[in-house]
Amino acid sequence: MSIGVFDSGVGGLTVHHRLVERFPEADFIYLADQANAPYGGRPGEEIVELTRAGCVRLFEEGCDLVVLACNTAASVALRRLQQTWLPGYRRDVGRPVNVLGIVVPTIEAATGLPWEHEAQWREEKAEKLEILGVFSTPATTRSRVYEIEIDKRRQDVAVFSEPCPELARMIEANAPRDELAATIQGHVKALATRIGRNPDRAILGCTHYEIVADLFQAALPPGTPLIRQPDATADALERYFARHPEFQPGTGAVRRFLTTGEPGAQNSLVETFWGGPLRFEPA
Ligand code: DGL
């Protein structure tokens, strides 16, 4: 089988890149829904429907496992699809297909705890000691998934999210680095103003932002640790394969890149990050 990697656009390539390094022999098909990107400003129902359509496309290409390398899709759509659509779809296709997200691995990395960890509630609620900043799309911010799930597990961590409504679109559109830097500085400042100080650690909670992680690093106080979604997802997938030997990720080192948008080369920002040219086929 192939592993499908899905995002609204090029952001998920940051996760794909790390998965390929971690599983070099595995077969990968990447799907960018660039005809409908960005997802971050869309209503929830649309995000659910677009994510479902992306998964179907990848399953039809022969993937048995799809990784939603998109916080917006994972935080808004994944649970709904797992509960209401996937069981019936599995029955219809007669294969044990599955969809995984990147929010759970990120929360595991941020808390240092496995997802199943039950919060150890103490008599008195612990004083919040550490401030964790999350930069994400408006839809991910609205879902409050990072606040809710981290608060359940770590009472000593307070999460504050900053929505960045224009950033994924700017990255898709190859915006100049100085414009990207100014936008990112604005969001880092806005978050610090709201909290009253800078965060101690940060999550780049949109996979597009990993492409400009250096600009976030430069805008945050020196040395602020960033929780890296590509690493967290690769670690989680390794554990998943160990628990689910029925999913065999192939051995042909297949690399295909599909887009619902304009096929062909991707923009220079993406190619610089990728380290070379990258050609997409029509989905
Ligand atoms: N890269 C995506 C994410 O992680 C989607 C950005 C968007 O389409 O708005 O949220």
Side-chain angles (χ1 to χ4, degrees):
M1 71 144 197
S2 301
I3 303 171
V5 180
F6 177 75
D7 184 32
S8 63
V10 292
L13 289 170
T14 59
V15 173
H16 175 277
H17 197 253
R18 192 54 41 83
L19 294 183
V20 166
E21 278 175 2
R22 190 69 67 88
F23 308 99
E25 291 182 357
D27 300 330
F28 285 94
I29 305 177
Y30 185 89
L31 173 61
D33 187 16
Q34 288 175 307
N36 297 300
Y39 282 8
R42 290 180 178 275
E45 285 308 312
E46 277 183 31
I47 296 169
V48 172
E49 195 37 44
L50 292 170
T51 305
R52 193 190 63 78
C55 292
V56 169
R57 186 75 193 84
L58 285 164
F59 290 142
E60 285 173 354
E61 282 293 333
C63 300
D64 282 347
L65 188 66
V66 170
V67 177
L68 298 181
C70 173
N71 290 267
T72 310
S75 61
V76 176
L78 181 55
R79 191 167 294 181
R80 262 277 290 285
L81 294 177
Q82 282 170 336
Q83 287 173 350
T84 63
W85 169 72
L86 204 52
Y89 183 81
R90 261 187 213 123
R91 267 197 310 277
D92 292 348
V93 294
R95 327 200 306 264
V97 295
N98 204 8
V99 183
L100 305 175
I102 57 171
V103 169
V104 169
T106 307
I107 289 172
E108 289 183 325
T111 58
L113 296 168
W115 182 250
E116 306 73 32
H117 179 89
E118 290 287 322
Q120 309 280 310
W121 291 99
R122 296 185 209 100
E123 291 257 308
E124 273 174 40
K125 208 166 159 42
E127 220 178 280
K128 301 282 183 187
L129 298 176
E130 192 193 24
I131 305 276
L132 181 59
V134 181
F135 298 93
S136 62
T137 67
T140 301
T141 307
R142 262 198 321 273
S143 78
R144 302 196 72 249
V145 66
Y146 287 108
E147 283 87 336
I148 294 167
E149 298 298 343
I150 292 174
D151 191 60
K152 277 187 203 163
R153 295 168 172 79
R154 288 281 302 268
Q155 295 152 63
D156 56 340
V157 178
V159 180
F160 291 87
S161 289
E162 167 71 10
C164 311
E166 63 298 272
L167 199 50
R169 188 191 302 278
M170 289 173 77
I171 293 166
E172 285 286 328
N174 207 20
R177 264 178 76 83
D178 56 342
E179 281 178 28
L180 290 164
T183 303
I184 290 167
Q185 279 157 16
H187 287 301
V188 168
K189 194 152 172 239
L191 182 68
T193 306
R194 192 145 44 81
I195 305 173
R197 67 173 176 93
N198 279 299
D200 300 304
R201 286 190 295 159
I203 294 175
L204 303 188
C206 167
T207 50
H208 280 73
Y209 304 170
E210 187 70 30
I211 294 176
V212 288
D214 61 324
L215 297 178
F216 273 97
Q217 198 76 74
L220 287 159
T224 306
L226 296 181
I227 292 150
R228 314 308 292 238
Q229 292 198 302
D231 290 326
T233 309
D235 293 346
L237 199 55
E238 209 170 298
R239 295 193 293 271
Y240 184 83
F241 285 140
R243 288 197 311 275
H244 294 274
E246 71 274 22
F247 285 104
Q248 290 300 326
T251 53
V254 169
R255 310 281 180 259
R256 290 182 60 205
F257 299 89
L258 310 180
T259 179
T260 59
E262 274 301 300
Q266 290 296 312
N267 71 47
S268 60
L269 193 61
V270 175
E271 288 196 348
T272 305
F273 151 78
W274 188 257
L278 190 58
R279 292 199 74 77
F280 277 59
E281 320 164 27

